[in-house]
Amino acid sequence: MSRVLVVNSGSSSLKYAVVDADSGDTMADGIVERIGEGEIPDHAAALQVVFDELADDMAGLVAVGHRVVHGGPDLYEPTLVDDALVAKLVELSSLAPLHNPPALLGIEVARRALPGLPHIAVFDTAYFHDLPPAAATYAIDRDIATRWNIRRYGFHGTSHRYVSERAAVFLGAPLDSVRQIVLHLGNGASASAIDGGRPVDTSMGLTPMEGLVMGTRSGDIDPGVITYLWRTAKMSVEDIESMLNRRAGMLGLGGEIDFRVVRERIESGDASAQLAYDVYIHRLRKYIGAYLAVLGSVDVITFTAGVGENDTVVRRDALSGMSALGIELDEQLNVEPSKAARRISAVSSRTTVLVIPTDEELAIARACARLVSELR
Ligand code: ADP
């Protein structure tokens, strides 16, 4: 039995799961929200809530796995947390000021609470560490990029890795023989192009802001917009960053991030919800087209995460009119409700289209269990 407590610590929420890495079973999971308000003043209090809820499920843990968003230039293997790693993560906070500090807090309170267990950091950037230089490099001054560690890092890597491995298993094909596009569409959203198990491009960059339209993030934007807002509209850097991260995307355009509500609003004739949706789909289709060209041909396109797993209309609109490119959905299969990994493409489709539920907690638990057994 290799039970791992997986902790995903955000600024105001803490998601947790106890997962058996061998069987893949989740013994318990949940989320503590509204950290910093009222009853749960801080991450230490949140963790205490988790411990109270887990109670018996805490027995027999072999490790605590921490999801860390940004591993920077050097951290990409699952890494045992010690004081030196914590110091490195503190340094990295400048590269990911919105995402890494809460993970650090989670790590520090969990280490104090569970000092007898190995704590392991698993990085969201890891999978994309070896992106081809042509995909990883911004066309900016080389010296500045090097000095400030500016490259395209990519995020959601744990999910892209897990889902692409499962897609190959689903197809019954060796991973190294399959060309894939993975569309991770949750509140955060990213696409990746994977050639034979090796990611060759992904839509997020230095930070998780680049690429697709997301719940609250703009995705791709002309950097000129930022300097214009700063110089002419006199917005501060903090305001611009906060706007692009928290008040942009579906929220900024249509006032709502939940696609179920967006759909209702569109049906009741709300023009801003319609525009938000249209921008979202347009961007998604552009990335699919781009990755088709990057890969040359695509064996499988997989939808995953909250929107990708559940929103049949997004899936339909993302891929409509692409039969000349060898991509055809089966309308019936697309709308059949299921929680399982499944095919939704037509038999005649050259590219197989799948829906595969992501399971980042299981993937993190497995990575931790592997490291623990190597350290023994
Ligand atoms: P996160 O990035 O926070 O992990 P998730 O992958 O859980 O996000 O995705 C959450 C989003 O998934 C919700 O905001 C909502 O838009 C969408 N979603 C969840 N369930 C459904 C559903 N049944 N139909 C359409 N969209 C859904």
Side-chain angles (χ1 to χ4, degrees):
M1 214 176 45
S2 303
R3 281 190 188 184
V4 177
L5 170 60
V6 179
V7 177
N8 181 354
S9 182
S11 56
S12 68
S13 73
L14 194 154
K15 288 189 206 164
Y16 64 94
V18 175
V19 181
D20 187 321
D22 297 331
S23 67
D25 292 339
T26 300
M27 332 306 294
D29 62 355
I31 178 166
V32 182
E33 290 176 293
R34 297 178 208 287
I35 300 175
E37 296 174 29
E39 280 166 45
I40 307 165
D42 55 23
H43 283 73
L47 203 65
Q48 193 53 52
V49 173
V50 173
F51 291 163
D52 292 345
E53 296 203 351
L54 289 177
D56 295 347
D57 291 311
M58 296 284 293
L61 289 177
V62 299
V64 184
H66 296 270
R67 176 182 182 227
V68 179
V69 170
H70 214 310
D74 309 319
L75 297 169
Y76 49 95
E77 301 290 353
T79 308
L80 194 64
V81 178
D82 55 16
D83 294 342
L85 184 78
V86 169
K88 263 196 183 170
L89 291 176
V90 170
E91 248 174 66
L92 272 180
S93 287
S94 60
L95 206 49
L98 304 176
H99 296 93
N100 275 23
L104 249 174
L105 269 177
I107 287 174
E108 295 194 288
V109 299
R111 276 179 94 199
R112 249 178 276 131
L114 300 169
L117 285 173
H119 290 252
I120 295 164
V122 178
F123 301 96
D124 230 26
T125 45
Y127 183 54
F128 299 113
H129 180 257
D130 293 321
L131 274 186
T137 307
Y138 288 111
I140 62 170
D141 184 292
R142 283 307 295 149
D143 295 336
I144 292 177
T146 305
R147 162 76 179 83
W148 295 102
N149 293 314
I150 295 171
R151 55 159 281 186
R152 304 191 61 257
Y153 287 93
F155 298 85
H156 291 145
T158 303
S159 178
H160 285 278
R161 187 199 305 262
Y162 172 83
V163 167
S164 57
E165 287 173 2
R166 284 210 58 193
V169 171
F170 190 97
L171 297 179
L175 185 62
D176 65 10
S177 73
V178 189
R179 295 185 195 184
Q180 334 196 13
I181 295 174
V182 174
L183 304 169
H184 176 110
L185 310 177
N187 283 324
S190 61
S192 65
I194 301 166
D195 189 352
R198 176 167 183 243
V200 292
D201 207 348
T202 191
S203 58
M204 286 175 164
L206 174 74
T207 75
M209 295 207 317
E210 193 179 340
L212 301 175
V213 176
M214 315 184 203
T216 65
R217 293 176 221 149
S218 63
D220 292 340
I221 191 170
D222 179 349
V225 172
I226 296 162
T227 47
Y228 177 74
L229 287 174
W230 178 74
R231 187 183 302 112
T232 307
K234 308 288 180 210
M235 282 174 72
S236 68
V237 169
E238 289 73 22
D239 283 349
I240 297 169
E241 185 172 62
S242 162
M243 190 267 286
L244 292 176
N245 260 292
R246 303 189 219 267
R247 287 177 283 121
M250 297 302 286
L251 183 69
L253 286 172
E256 174 57 50
I257 66 166
D258 190 316
F259 273 71
R260 289 162 287 199
V261 181
V262 172
R263 179 83 41 226
E264 283 168 16
R265 294 203 179 155
I266 290 172
E267 277 159 15
S268 67
D270 180 334
S272 60
Q274 182 71 57
L275 178 64
Y277 182 75
D278 292 346
V279 175
Y280 181 94
I281 293 293
H282 181 75
R283 184 82 51 82
L284 185 55
R285 291 172 63 92
K286 281 211 307 198
Y287 269 91
I288 293 166
Y291 289 173
L292 270 165
V294 165
L295 291 166
S297 75
V298 177
D299 302 302
V300 55
I301 296 175
T302 306
F303 288 91
T304 193
V307 178
E309 290 166 29
N310 295 297
D311 197 316
T312 62
V313 186
V314 165
R315 294 197 299 252
R316 183 198 68 195
D317 293 346
L319 299 179
S320 65
M322 294 190 187
S323 56
L325 298 170
I327 303 167
E328 270 175 90
L329 282 195
D330 179 315
E331 278 177 37
Q332 200 53 46
L333 291 178
N334 182 41
V335 298
E336 248 162 53
S338 165
K339 292 279 166 218
R342 57 201 185 273
R343 177 176 63 86
I344 57 167
S345 47
V347 179
S348 54
S349 184
R350 218 175 333 121
T351 298
T352 304
V353 183
L354 303 177
V355 177
I356 295 183
T358 193
D359 194 339
E360 289 162 288
E361 290 73 24
L362 174 59
I364 290 172
R366 283 189 180 146
C368 292
R370 245 190 326 268
L371 180 59
V372 167
S373 70
E374 281 167 21
L375 293 173
R376 270 193 189 131

